[in-house]
Amino acid sequence: MKKTLNLLLAGVASMGLAFAACAEDYITLASTTSTENSGLFASILPKFEDTTGIQVRVVAVGTGQAFEIARRGDADSLLVHDTAGEKRFVENGFATERADVMYNDFVLIGPANDPANIRQAQSAKEAFAAIAKAEAPFASRGDDSGTNRAELRHWKNAGVDPDGDWYRELGSGMGPTLNTAAAMDAYVMSDRATWVAFGNRQNLTLLFEGDKVLFNQYGSLLMSEEKHPHLKHDLAQQWHNWLISEDGQQAIADFKVDGQQLFFPNAK
């Protein structure tokens, strides 16, 4: 009886240790709403988890907020889309490495009747200037996301300081911003992936695309062990390496919505 009890206790202890080890095999990834809302993570994370046994718990926020989460040491890894901000993050010592992972592009969405006539624009600069001149309703994320940062650069390039009742800063993610734009019959800039996956289009349609300045690069960053030694750097390194590996790049390329590829791998 005593021997049996000891064996049972040993088994329970072994199971407890195994469970504790398993519970630690995850990382927290701060990333953008576009990678989550488009369905990309639902497609690629199971492949990574099957390969490594590491779970990825995604906190999907705007890029600015993702930087802040990582700066505080509350994320093991970053996958965002603001190359200039990412490089500053490394230069300021919060990350030790940044790598290109994939790209897509931004597009300008608006009401089908196109009151600012941006369908005829020859450049993004011209399209943004036309919206401002017409004072047509424009829904901005206004959340310091990568998309919002890019949008503000395009207004500046067009010589426009967006202000007035026509310009609505919402402070929300891409999906909710598209919902608001649909309700308002407003123009909005979106990453292509979220737009393709978006279901509540109502009267909205894609009106302008293709300018090279609308290129949208995503990067993966490894956090600094010196700044935040408590993070799961070894597990995060495996995630980072997988993203830029042949398997990870193929998983990204294989993700499609309605037969359309939404992200294009470009790790060097």
PDB file of all heavy atoms in Angstrom, residues 141-174:
ATOM      1  N   ARG A 141      -8.085  56.716 -37.758  1.00  0.00           N
ATOM      2  CA  ARG A 141      -7.956  55.900 -36.550  1.00  0.00           C
ATOM      3  C   ARG A 141      -7.582  56.761 -35.355  1.00  0.00           C
ATOM      4  O   ARG A 141      -8.077  56.561 -34.255  1.00  0.00           O
ATOM      5  CB  ARG A 141      -6.907  54.798 -36.755  1.00  0.00           C
ATOM      6  CG  ARG A 141      -7.421  53.671 -37.630  1.00  0.00           C
ATOM      7  CD  ARG A 141      -6.409  52.556 -37.790  1.00  0.00           C
ATOM      8  NE  ARG A 141      -6.048  51.943 -36.519  1.00  0.00           N
ATOM      9  CZ  ARG A 141      -5.375  50.806 -36.411  1.00  0.00           C
ATOM     10  NH1 ARG A 141      -4.990  50.169 -37.510  1.00  0.00           N
ATOM     11  NH2 ARG A 141      -5.071  50.304 -35.234  1.00  0.00           N
ATOM     12  N   GLY A 142      -6.686  57.703 -35.522  1.00  0.00           N
ATOM     13  CA  GLY A 142      -6.341  58.613 -34.431  1.00  0.00           C
ATOM     14  C   GLY A 142      -5.810  57.917 -33.194  1.00  0.00           C
ATOM     15  O   GLY A 142      -5.999  58.401 -32.084  1.00  0.00           O
ATOM     16  N   ASP A 143      -5.120  56.768 -33.393  1.00  0.00           N
ATOM     17  CA  ASP A 143      -4.713  55.960 -32.243  1.00  0.00           C
ATOM     18  C   ASP A 143      -3.204  55.714 -32.184  1.00  0.00           C
ATOM     19  O   ASP A 143      -2.747  54.843 -31.467  1.00  0.00           O
ATOM     20  CB  ASP A 143      -5.443  54.612 -32.281  1.00  0.00           C
ATOM     21  CG  ASP A 143      -5.074  53.777 -33.515  1.00  0.00           C
ATOM     22  OD1 ASP A 143      -4.454  54.326 -34.448  1.00  0.00           O
ATOM     23  OD2 ASP A 143      -5.404  52.569 -33.538  1.00  0.00           O
ATOM     24  N   ASP A 144      -2.431  56.488 -32.949  1.00  0.00           N
ATOM     25  CA  ASP A 144      -0.974  56.331 -32.989  1.00  0.00           C
ATOM     26  C   ASP A 144      -0.569  54.936 -33.446  1.00  0.00           C
ATOM     27  O   ASP A 144       0.486  54.436 -33.062  1.00  0.00           O
ATOM     28  CB  ASP A 144      -0.349  56.652 -31.619  1.00  0.00           C
ATOM     29  CG  ASP A 144       1.167  56.828 -31.700  1.00  0.00           C
ATOM     30  OD1 ASP A 144       1.653  57.343 -32.725  1.00  0.00           O
ATOM     31  OD2 ASP A 144       1.876  56.438 -30.741  1.00  0.00           O
ATOM     32  N   SER A 145      -1.394  54.309 -34.240  1.00  0.00           N
ATOM     33  CA  SER A 145      -1.054  53.018 -34.829  1.00  0.00           C
ATOM     34  C   SER A 145      -0.116  53.240 -36.007  1.00  0.00           C
ATOM     35  O   SER A 145       0.106  54.364 -36.457  1.00  0.00           O
ATOM     36  CB  SER A 145      -2.322  52.309 -35.315  1.00  0.00           C
ATOM     37  OG  SER A 145      -2.958  53.105 -36.309  1.00  0.00           O
ATOM     38  N   GLY A 146       0.417  52.135 -36.552  1.00  0.00           N
ATOM     39  CA  GLY A 146       1.241  52.256 -37.746  1.00  0.00           C
ATOM     40  C   GLY A 146       0.461  52.856 -38.897  1.00  0.00           C
ATOM     41  O   GLY A 146       0.979  53.669 -39.677  1.00  0.00           O
ATOM     42  N   THR A 147      -0.812  52.463 -39.024  1.00  0.00           N
ATOM     43  CA  THR A 147      -1.669  53.012 -40.070  1.00  0.00           C
ATOM     44  C   THR A 147      -1.900  54.496 -39.851  1.00  0.00           C
ATOM     45  O   THR A 147      -1.829  55.298 -40.797  1.00  0.00           O
ATOM     46  CB  THR A 147      -3.011  52.260 -40.102  1.00  0.00           C
ATOM     47  OG1 THR A 147      -2.763  50.869 -40.326  1.00  0.00           O
ATOM     48  CG2 THR A 147      -3.922  52.798 -41.196  1.00  0.00           C
ATOM     49  N   ASN A 148      -2.178  54.884 -38.623  1.00  0.00           N
ATOM     50  CA  ASN A 148      -2.403  56.295 -38.308  1.00  0.00           C
ATOM     51  C   ASN A 148      -1.151  57.131 -38.546  1.00  0.00           C
ATOM     52  O   ASN A 148      -1.211  58.239 -39.100  1.00  0.00           O
ATOM     53  CB  ASN A 148      -2.856  56.423 -36.853  1.00  0.00           C
ATOM     54  CG  ASN A 148      -3.202  57.841 -36.448  1.00  0.00           C
ATOM     55  OD1 ASN A 148      -2.872  58.290 -35.345  1.00  0.00           O
ATOM     56  ND2 ASN A 148      -3.873  58.579 -37.308  1.00  0.00           N
ATOM     57  N   ARG A 149       0.004  56.599 -38.186  1.00  0.00           N
ATOM     58  CA  ARG A 149       1.256  57.319 -38.419  1.00  0.00           C
ATOM     59  C   ARG A 149       1.490  57.511 -39.914  1.00  0.00           C
ATOM     60  O   ARG A 149       1.911  58.585 -40.362  1.00  0.00           O
ATOM     61  CB  ARG A 149       2.428  56.557 -37.791  1.00  0.00           C
ATOM     62  CG  ARG A 149       2.410  56.546 -36.273  1.00  0.00           C
ATOM     63  CD  ARG A 149       3.601  55.775 -35.698  1.00  0.00           C
ATOM     64  NE  ARG A 149       3.585  55.780 -34.239  1.00  0.00           N
ATOM     65  CZ  ARG A 149       4.603  55.420 -33.475  1.00  0.00           C
ATOM     66  NH1 ARG A 149       5.737  55.019 -34.044  1.00  0.00           N
ATOM     67  NH2 ARG A 149       4.514  55.455 -32.171  1.00  0.00           N
ATOM     68  N   ALA A 150       1.209  56.460 -40.703  1.00  0.00           N
ATOM     69  CA  ALA A 150       1.366  56.566 -42.153  1.00  0.00           C
ATOM     70  C   ALA A 150       0.382  57.574 -42.735  1.00  0.00           C
ATOM     71  O   ALA A 150       0.738  58.390 -43.600  1.00  0.00           O
ATOM     72  CB  ALA A 150       1.165  55.198 -42.805  1.00  0.00           C
ATOM     73  N   GLU A 151      -0.852  57.533 -42.272  1.00  0.00           N
ATOM     74  CA  GLU A 151      -1.872  58.484 -42.750  1.00  0.00           C
ATOM     75  C   GLU A 151      -1.429  59.922 -42.522  1.00  0.00           C
ATOM     76  O   GLU A 151      -1.529  60.775 -43.414  1.00  0.00           O
ATOM     77  CB  GLU A 151      -3.200  58.214 -42.042  1.00  0.00           C
ATOM     78  CG  GLU A 151      -4.300  59.200 -42.398  1.00  0.00           C
ATOM     79  CD  GLU A 151      -5.161  59.567 -41.200  1.00  0.00           C
ATOM     80  OE1 GLU A 151      -5.594  58.653 -40.471  1.00  0.00           O
ATOM     81  OE2 GLU A 151      -5.397  60.772 -40.989  1.00  0.00           O
ATOM     82  N   LEU A 152      -0.911  60.197 -41.331  1.00  0.00           N
ATOM     83  CA  LEU A 152      -0.481  61.566 -41.016  1.00  0.00           C
ATOM     84  C   LEU A 152       0.677  61.991 -41.899  1.00  0.00           C
ATOM     85  O   LEU A 152       0.775  63.174 -42.280  1.00  0.00           O
ATOM     86  CB  LEU A 152      -0.098  61.667 -39.534  1.00  0.00           C
ATOM     87  CG  LEU A 152      -1.255  61.489 -38.545  1.00  0.00           C
ATOM     88  CD1 LEU A 152      -0.741  61.509 -37.109  1.00  0.00           C
ATOM     89  CD2 LEU A 152      -2.321  62.575 -38.749  1.00  0.00           C
ATOM     90  N   ARG A 153       1.556  61.058 -42.259  1.00  0.00           N
ATOM     91  CA  ARG A 153       2.644  61.387 -43.186  1.00  0.00           C
ATOM     92  C   ARG A 153       2.090  61.766 -44.563  1.00  0.00           C
ATOM     93  O   ARG A 153       2.609  62.669 -45.221  1.00  0.00           O
ATOM     94  CB  ARG A 153       3.621  60.212 -43.310  1.00  0.00           C
ATOM     95  CG  ARG A 153       4.485  59.975 -42.083  1.00  0.00           C
ATOM     96  CD  ARG A 153       5.657  59.047 -42.376  1.00  0.00           C
ATOM     97  NE  ARG A 153       5.248  57.706 -42.757  1.00  0.00           N
ATOM     98  CZ  ARG A 153       5.037  56.715 -41.889  1.00  0.00           C
ATOM     99  NH1 ARG A 153       5.195  56.921 -40.588  1.00  0.00           N
ATOM    100  NH2 ARG A 153       4.686  55.509 -42.316  1.00  0.00           N
ATOM    101  N   HIS A 154       1.027  61.098 -44.981  1.00  0.00           N
ATOM    102  CA  HIS A 154       0.446  61.401 -46.293  1.00  0.00           C
ATOM    103  C   HIS A 154      -0.245  62.765 -46.299  1.00  0.00           C
ATOM    104  O   HIS A 154      -0.182  63.492 -47.302  1.00  0.00           O
ATOM    105  CB  HIS A 154      -0.517  60.295 -46.715  1.00  0.00           C
ATOM    106  CG  HIS A 154       0.163  58.995 -47.009  1.00  0.00           C
ATOM    107  ND1 HIS A 154       1.219  58.888 -47.887  1.00  0.00           N
ATOM    108  CD2 HIS A 154      -0.045  57.738 -46.528  1.00  0.00           C
ATOM    109  CE1 HIS A 154       1.628  57.634 -47.945  1.00  0.00           C
ATOM    110  NE2 HIS A 154       0.881  56.916 -47.115  1.00  0.00           N
ATOM    111  N   TRP A 155      -0.910  63.124 -45.201  1.00  0.00           N
ATOM    112  CA  TRP A 155      -1.483  64.477 -45.123  1.00  0.00           C
ATOM    113  C   TRP A 155      -0.375  65.527 -45.208  1.00  0.00           C
ATOM    114  O   TRP A 155      -0.495  66.525 -45.935  1.00  0.00           O
ATOM    115  CB  TRP A 155      -2.256  64.662 -43.813  1.00  0.00           C
ATOM    116  CG  TRP A 155      -3.556  63.936 -43.692  1.00  0.00           C
ATOM    117  CD1 TRP A 155      -3.894  63.020 -42.742  1.00  0.00           C
ATOM    118  CD2 TRP A 155      -4.704  64.078 -44.534  1.00  0.00           C
ATOM    119  NE1 TRP A 155      -5.172  62.577 -42.945  1.00  0.00           N
ATOM    120  CE2 TRP A 155      -5.704  63.212 -44.027  1.00  0.00           C
ATOM    121  CE3 TRP A 155      -4.994  64.859 -45.659  1.00  0.00           C
ATOM    122  CZ2 TRP A 155      -6.965  63.101 -44.610  1.00  0.00           C
ATOM    123  CZ3 TRP A 155      -6.261  64.746 -46.249  1.00  0.00           C
ATOM    124  CH2 TRP A 155      -7.222  63.881 -45.725  1.00  0.00           C
ATOM    125  N   LYS A 156       0.688  65.293 -44.476  1.00  0.00           N
ATOM    126  CA  LYS A 156       1.807  66.243 -44.476  1.00  0.00           C
ATOM    127  C   LYS A 156       2.407  66.365 -45.873  1.00  0.00           C
ATOM    128  O   LYS A 156       2.708  67.474 -46.337  1.00  0.00           O
ATOM    129  CB  LYS A 156       2.871  65.796 -43.471  1.00  0.00           C
ATOM    130  CG  LYS A 156       4.028  66.780 -43.330  1.00  0.00           C
ATOM    131  CD  LYS A 156       5.005  66.316 -42.250  1.00  0.00           C
ATOM    132  CE  LYS A 156       6.156  67.318 -42.098  1.00  0.00           C
ATOM    133  NZ  LYS A 156       7.115  66.878 -41.039  1.00  0.00           N
ATOM    134  N   ASN A 157       2.563  65.232 -46.545  1.00  0.00           N
ATOM    135  CA  ASN A 157       3.120  65.238 -47.897  1.00  0.00           C
ATOM    136  C   ASN A 157       2.217  65.995 -48.869  1.00  0.00           C
ATOM    137  O   ASN A 157       2.697  66.594 -49.843  1.00  0.00           O
ATOM    138  CB  ASN A 157       3.316  63.797 -48.385  1.00  0.00           C
ATOM    139  CG  ASN A 157       4.076  63.717 -49.688  1.00  0.00           C
ATOM    140  OD1 ASN A 157       5.096  64.375 -49.849  1.00  0.00           O
ATOM    141  ND2 ASN A 157       3.588  62.909 -50.618  1.00  0.00           N
ATOM    142  N   ALA A 158       0.903  65.983 -48.583  1.00  0.00           N
ATOM    143  CA  ALA A 158      -0.060  66.699 -49.426  1.00  0.00           C
ATOM    144  C   ALA A 158      -0.175  68.174 -49.040  1.00  0.00           C
ATOM    145  O   ALA A 158      -0.942  68.919 -49.664  1.00  0.00           O
ATOM    146  CB  ALA A 158      -1.426  66.027 -49.339  1.00  0.00           C
ATOM    147  N   GLY A 159       0.570  68.590 -48.010  1.00  0.00           N
ATOM    148  CA  GLY A 159       0.513  69.982 -47.568  1.00  0.00           C
ATOM    149  C   GLY A 159      -0.749  70.313 -46.805  1.00  0.00           C
ATOM    150  O   GLY A 159      -1.199  71.462 -46.791  1.00  0.00           O
ATOM    151  N   VAL A 160      -1.332  69.305 -46.160  1.00  0.00           N
ATOM    152  CA  VAL A 160      -2.603  69.472 -45.461  1.00  0.00           C
ATOM    153  C   VAL A 160      -2.421  69.247 -43.961  1.00  0.00           C
ATOM    154  O   VAL A 160      -1.782  68.271 -43.549  1.00  0.00           O
ATOM    155  CB  VAL A 160      -3.661  68.473 -45.993  1.00  0.00           C
ATOM    156  CG1 VAL A 160      -4.949  68.561 -45.164  1.00  0.00           C
ATOM    157  CG2 VAL A 160      -3.940  68.726 -47.463  1.00  0.00           C
ATOM    158  N   ASP A 161      -2.979  70.152 -43.171  1.00  0.00           N
ATOM    159  CA  ASP A 161      -3.086  69.961 -41.727  1.00  0.00           C
ATOM    160  C   ASP A 161      -4.541  69.618 -41.444  1.00  0.00           C
ATOM    161  O   ASP A 161      -5.372  70.519 -41.338  1.00  0.00           O
ATOM    162  CB  ASP A 161      -2.675  71.223 -40.976  1.00  0.00           C
ATOM    163  CG  ASP A 161      -2.721  71.050 -39.468  1.00  0.00           C
ATOM    164  OD1 ASP A 161      -2.865  69.900 -39.009  1.00  0.00           O
ATOM    165  OD2 ASP A 161      -2.638  72.066 -38.748  1.00  0.00           O
ATOM    166  N   PRO A 162      -4.884  68.326 -41.382  1.00  0.00           N
ATOM    167  CA  PRO A 162      -6.295  67.944 -41.308  1.00  0.00           C
ATOM    168  C   PRO A 162      -6.966  68.478 -40.043  1.00  0.00           C
ATOM    169  O   PRO A 162      -6.521  68.214 -38.935  1.00  0.00           O
ATOM    170  CB  PRO A 162      -6.259  66.415 -41.331  1.00  0.00           C
ATOM    171  CG  PRO A 162      -4.901  66.058 -40.834  1.00  0.00           C
ATOM    172  CD  PRO A 162      -3.986  67.154 -41.297  1.00  0.00           C
ATOM    173  N   ASP A 163      -8.013  69.220 -40.238  1.00  0.00           N
ATOM    174  CA  ASP A 163      -8.711  69.856 -39.123  1.00  0.00           C
ATOM    175  C   ASP A 163     -10.127  70.170 -39.584  1.00  0.00           C
ATOM    176  O   ASP A 163     -10.421  70.185 -40.779  1.00  0.00           O
ATOM    177  CB  ASP A 163      -7.975  71.126 -38.703  1.00  0.00           C
ATOM    178  CG  ASP A 163      -8.401  71.611 -37.324  1.00  0.00           C
ATOM    179  OD1 ASP A 163      -9.116  70.861 -36.635  1.00  0.00           O
ATOM    180  OD2 ASP A 163      -8.031  72.728 -36.951  1.00  0.00           O
ATOM    181  N   GLY A 164     -10.994  70.434 -38.651  1.00  0.00           N
ATOM    182  CA  GLY A 164     -12.359  70.791 -38.996  1.00  0.00           C
ATOM    183  C   GLY A 164     -13.313  69.635 -38.805  1.00  0.00           C
ATOM    184  O   GLY A 164     -12.917  68.501 -38.529  1.00  0.00           O
ATOM    185  N   ASP A 165     -14.592  69.933 -39.000  1.00  0.00           N
ATOM    186  CA  ASP A 165     -15.632  68.937 -38.755  1.00  0.00           C
ATOM    187  C   ASP A 165     -15.558  67.742 -39.701  1.00  0.00           C
ATOM    188  O   ASP A 165     -16.061  66.664 -39.385  1.00  0.00           O
ATOM    189  CB  ASP A 165     -17.016  69.593 -38.882  1.00  0.00           C
ATOM    190  CG  ASP A 165     -17.290  70.600 -37.778  1.00  0.00           C
ATOM    191  OD1 ASP A 165     -16.603  70.534 -36.738  1.00  0.00           O
ATOM    192  OD2 ASP A 165     -18.169  71.460 -37.966  1.00  0.00           O
ATOM    193  N   TRP A 166     -14.937  67.928 -40.867  1.00  0.00           N
ATOM    194  CA  TRP A 166     -14.876  66.836 -41.846  1.00  0.00           C
ATOM    195  C   TRP A 166     -13.900  65.734 -41.437  1.00  0.00           C
ATOM    196  O   TRP A 166     -14.008  64.600 -41.905  1.00  0.00           O
ATOM    197  CB  TRP A 166     -14.482  67.379 -43.233  1.00  0.00           C
ATOM    198  CG  TRP A 166     -13.118  68.006 -43.261  1.00  0.00           C
ATOM    199  CD1 TRP A 166     -12.799  69.296 -42.932  1.00  0.00           C
ATOM    200  CD2 TRP A 166     -11.887  67.379 -43.629  1.00  0.00           C
ATOM    201  NE1 TRP A 166     -11.447  69.515 -43.060  1.00  0.00           N
ATOM    202  CE2 TRP A 166     -10.864  68.366 -43.504  1.00  0.00           C
ATOM    203  CE3 TRP A 166     -11.537  66.107 -44.063  1.00  0.00           C
ATOM    204  CZ2 TRP A 166      -9.520  68.085 -43.783  1.00  0.00           C
ATOM    205  CZ3 TRP A 166     -10.211  65.824 -44.351  1.00  0.00           C
ATOM    206  CH2 TRP A 166      -9.212  66.813 -44.214  1.00  0.00           C
ATOM    207  N   TYR A 167     -12.972  66.062 -40.538  1.00  0.00           N
ATOM    208  CA  TYR A 167     -11.919  65.115 -40.154  1.00  0.00           C
ATOM    209  C   TYR A 167     -12.211  64.581 -38.760  1.00  0.00           C
ATOM    210  O   TYR A 167     -12.193  65.321 -37.775  1.00  0.00           O
ATOM    211  CB  TYR A 167     -10.562  65.814 -40.188  1.00  0.00           C
ATOM    212  CG  TYR A 167      -9.380  64.892 -39.918  1.00  0.00           C
ATOM    213  CD1 TYR A 167      -8.946  63.989 -40.875  1.00  0.00           C
ATOM    214  CD2 TYR A 167      -8.693  64.943 -38.704  1.00  0.00           C
ATOM    215  CE1 TYR A 167      -7.859  63.154 -40.645  1.00  0.00           C
ATOM    216  CE2 TYR A 167      -7.607  64.110 -38.460  1.00  0.00           C
ATOM    217  CZ  TYR A 167      -7.196  63.217 -39.439  1.00  0.00           C
ATOM    218  OH  TYR A 167      -6.122  62.394 -39.200  1.00  0.00           O
ATOM    219  N   ARG A 168     -12.484  63.266 -38.659  1.00  0.00           N
ATOM    220  CA  ARG A 168     -12.877  62.651 -37.390  1.00  0.00           C
ATOM    221  C   ARG A 168     -11.783  61.720 -36.883  1.00  0.00           C
ATOM    222  O   ARG A 168     -11.505  60.697 -37.495  1.00  0.00           O
ATOM    223  CB  ARG A 168     -14.169  61.860 -37.573  1.00  0.00           C
ATOM    224  CG  ARG A 168     -15.310  62.658 -38.187  1.00  0.00           C
ATOM    225  CD  ARG A 168     -15.881  63.677 -37.229  1.00  0.00           C
ATOM    226  NE  ARG A 168     -16.981  64.394 -37.833  1.00  0.00           N
ATOM    227  CZ  ARG A 168     -18.247  63.982 -37.826  1.00  0.00           C
ATOM    228  NH1 ARG A 168     -18.565  62.829 -37.264  1.00  0.00           N
ATOM    229  NH2 ARG A 168     -19.188  64.710 -38.393  1.00  0.00           N
ATOM    230  N   GLU A 169     -11.149  62.082 -35.787  1.00  0.00           N
ATOM    231  CA  GLU A 169     -10.173  61.207 -35.129  1.00  0.00           C
ATOM    232  C   GLU A 169     -10.909  60.332 -34.135  1.00  0.00           C
ATOM    233  O   GLU A 169     -11.485  60.834 -33.173  1.00  0.00           O
ATOM    234  CB  GLU A 169      -9.098  62.037 -34.437  1.00  0.00           C
ATOM    235  CG  GLU A 169      -8.200  62.794 -35.386  1.00  0.00           C
ATOM    236  CD  GLU A 169      -7.088  63.529 -34.662  1.00  0.00           C
ATOM    237  OE1 GLU A 169      -7.360  64.626 -34.143  1.00  0.00           O
ATOM    238  OE2 GLU A 169      -5.969  62.999 -34.605  1.00  0.00           O
ATOM    239  N   LEU A 170     -10.859  59.025 -34.331  1.00  0.00           N
ATOM    240  CA  LEU A 170     -11.714  58.115 -33.585  1.00  0.00           C
ATOM    241  C   LEU A 170     -11.034  57.445 -32.401  1.00  0.00           C
ATOM    242  O   LEU A 170     -11.703  57.012 -31.469  1.00  0.00           O
ATOM    243  CB  LEU A 170     -12.257  57.043 -34.534  1.00  0.00           C
ATOM    244  CG  LEU A 170     -13.031  57.579 -35.743  1.00  0.00           C
ATOM    245  CD1 LEU A 170     -13.431  56.421 -36.658  1.00  0.00           C
ATOM    246  CD2 LEU A 170     -14.253  58.360 -35.302  1.00  0.00           C
ATOM    247  N   GLY A 171      -9.716  57.281 -32.457  1.00  0.00           N
ATOM    248  CA  GLY A 171      -9.035  56.588 -31.367  1.00  0.00           C
ATOM    249  C   GLY A 171      -9.410  55.121 -31.297  1.00  0.00           C
ATOM    250  O   GLY A 171      -9.532  54.556 -30.213  1.00  0.00           O
ATOM    251  N   SER A 172      -9.591  54.490 -32.457  1.00  0.00           N
ATOM    252  CA  SER A 172     -10.024  53.089 -32.465  1.00  0.00           C
ATOM    253  C   SER A 172      -9.214  52.274 -33.458  1.00  0.00           C
ATOM    254  O   SER A 172      -8.473  52.814 -34.280  1.00  0.00           O
ATOM    255  CB  SER A 172     -11.518  53.001 -32.803  1.00  0.00           C
ATOM    256  OG  SER A 172     -11.784  53.573 -34.066  1.00  0.00           O
ATOM    257  N   GLY A 173      -9.369  50.959 -33.380  1.00  0.00           N
ATOM    258  CA  GLY A 173      -8.653  50.054 -34.262  1.00  0.00           C
ATOM    259  C   GLY A 173      -9.177  50.122 -35.690  1.00  0.00           C
ATOM    260  O   GLY A 173     -10.158  50.814 -35.989  1.00  0.00           O
ATOM    261  N   MET A 174      -8.549  49.350 -36.575  1.00  0.00           N
ATOM    262  CA  MET A 174      -8.896  49.448 -37.992  1.00  0.00           C
ATOM    263  C   MET A 174     -10.310  48.960 -38.263  1.00  0.00           C
ATOM    264  O   MET A 174     -11.057  49.588 -39.017  1.00  0.00           O
ATOM    265  CB  MET A 174      -7.884  48.635 -38.824  1.00  0.00           C
ATOM    266  CG  MET A 174      -7.928  48.942 -40.316  1.00  0.00           C
ATOM    267  SD  MET A 174      -7.303  50.604 -40.708  1.00  0.00           S
ATOM    268  CE  MET A 174      -8.820  51.501 -41.067  1.00  0.00           C
TER     269      MET A 174
END
